[in-house]
Amino acid sequence: MGGCESCASSRRKEVSHLLRDASSRSNISELKTAIAQAEQYGVDALSARQQYSELAKNERQSPESVHEMLIWSISTQDGVILFNVIQEAESMSPDHQDLRLARAKLAECQEEARVRLQRLVRNRDARSLTSSLERARRMGVPSDELAWAENSLFALAEAQQEAARRSLREGETTPKCFVAPGPPPLRE
């Protein structure tokens, strides 16, 4: 058993040196491999993991990666992700050619969010309206374009509260229906 422990100790030392060397070279792929080996042998790799994370972040945020970031964010079809990636890409490379395509896709996502808000107001769905309003804000829809939906949500909440109070006064167990103000007309 002493021989096996000695081999394991030697292997841990070897992996430790490999990890240190990979960290000093700052090669992201070598560092990733060294971290995996170190963890396999129980060697502490926390500082190397932190370095790897920082290297990966810098690589991801380099101007050369703007194209990949934008194409990926467009493919997600998620307006919030797209908005955030566009913000980041604009700070790295404000004149990048793919920004035009990404902004066009974001405009589509924002318009879909507006249409959804109109439908939710028409259906008087306060719960979904609340979350959809927040999502529209996070995808960069201007506040002045959301004011009508916020006002409708407020009116829905007031109407629900009034209906609940009236039901309690009248001894009913289910509140009566109510009508909230409608959404603005769809844009052309």
Side-chain angles (χ1 to χ4, degrees), residues 94-158:
D95 299 326
H96 197 278
Q97 63 187 12
D98 292 331
L99 278 169
R100 187 178 49 78
L101 177 64
R103 286 185 192 115
K105 182 60 180 172
L106 177 61
E108 287 177 25
C109 291
Q110 290 173 335
E111 187 57 32
E112 288 171 10
R114 288 181 196 97
V115 170
R116 177 172 170 74
L117 290 171
Q118 290 173 343
R119 187 179 76 249
L120 294 170
V121 168
R122 252 191 331 271
N123 294 337
R124 297 182 298 277
D125 185 348
R127 181 177 297 167
S128 296
L129 182 57
T130 301
S131 62
S132 292
L133 258 170
E134 181 57 33
R135 186 160 176 72
R137 281 186 202 101
R138 290 190 351 240
M139 73 171 66
V141 177
S143 299
D144 59 325
E145 294 181 24
L146 298 176
W148 67 269
E150 291 168 346
N151 293 337
S152 295
L153 179 60
F154 182 71
L156 280 170
E158 282 184 339

Side-chain angles (χ1 to χ4, degrees), residues 8-23 33-45:
S9 178
S10 294
R11 186 67 181 140
R12 278 194 294 273
K13 285 180 185 177
E14 184 180 316
V15 168
S16 257
H17 290 294
L18 177 68
L19 188 61
R20 222 171 323 158
D21 291 344
S23 291
T33 303
I35 289 169
Q37 287 179 349
E39 289 177 343
Q40 183 179 7
Y41 285 95
V43 174
D44 179 31

Side-chain angles (χ1 to χ4, degrees), residues 19-20 22-23 28 30-40 43-57:
L19 188 61
R20 222 171 323 158
S23 291
I28 195 164
E30 283 181 32
L31 191 54
K32 183 178 181 179
T33 303
I35 289 169
Q37 287 179 349
E39 289 177 343
Q40 183 179 7
V43 174
D44 179 31
L46 180 61
S47 63
R49 278 189 160 285
Q50 290 169 337
Q51 182 183 6
Y52 175 80
S53 177
E54 189 62 32
L55 287 171
K57 178 183 171 191

